[in-house]
Amino acid sequence: METTSKMIDALRQKLEHAAKAAGYNFLDPEIVKISQQLDKLIVAHMMHEKRPS
């Protein structure tokens, strides 16, 4: 769980840096790719949290 949070933070930072480098053009292919990866990771994290123990 802790590892997933760290991965989310790292990917979020990567997205922020890429957005700045692309002049905040959110249609830039690299921005879209990173954003989709982040979305998938967040969804997986949320689904894991909802599982009954």
Side-chain angles (χ1 to χ4, degrees):
M1 198 67 130
E2 176 86 19
T3 303
T4 307
S5 294
K6 288 180 182 179
M7 291 171 61
I8 289 171
D9 287 340
L11 201 50
R12 181 189 50 79
Q13 288 178 349
K14 182 178 179 181
L15 180 59
E16 287 177 5
H17 292 293
K20 287 179 186 175
Y24 295 97
N25 174 12
F26 294 103
L27 296 178
D28 181 273
E30 183 67 14
I31 303 294
V32 172
K33 180 181 142 192
I34 296 169
S35 180
Q36 289 173 341
Q37 291 173 341
L38 185 58
D39 289 346
K40 289 177 184 177
L41 189 56
I42 291 170
V43 168
H45 181 72
M46 289 171 46
M47 291 181 73
H48 181 73
E49 283 184 338
K50 288 186 176 183
R51 288 185 185 166
S53 297

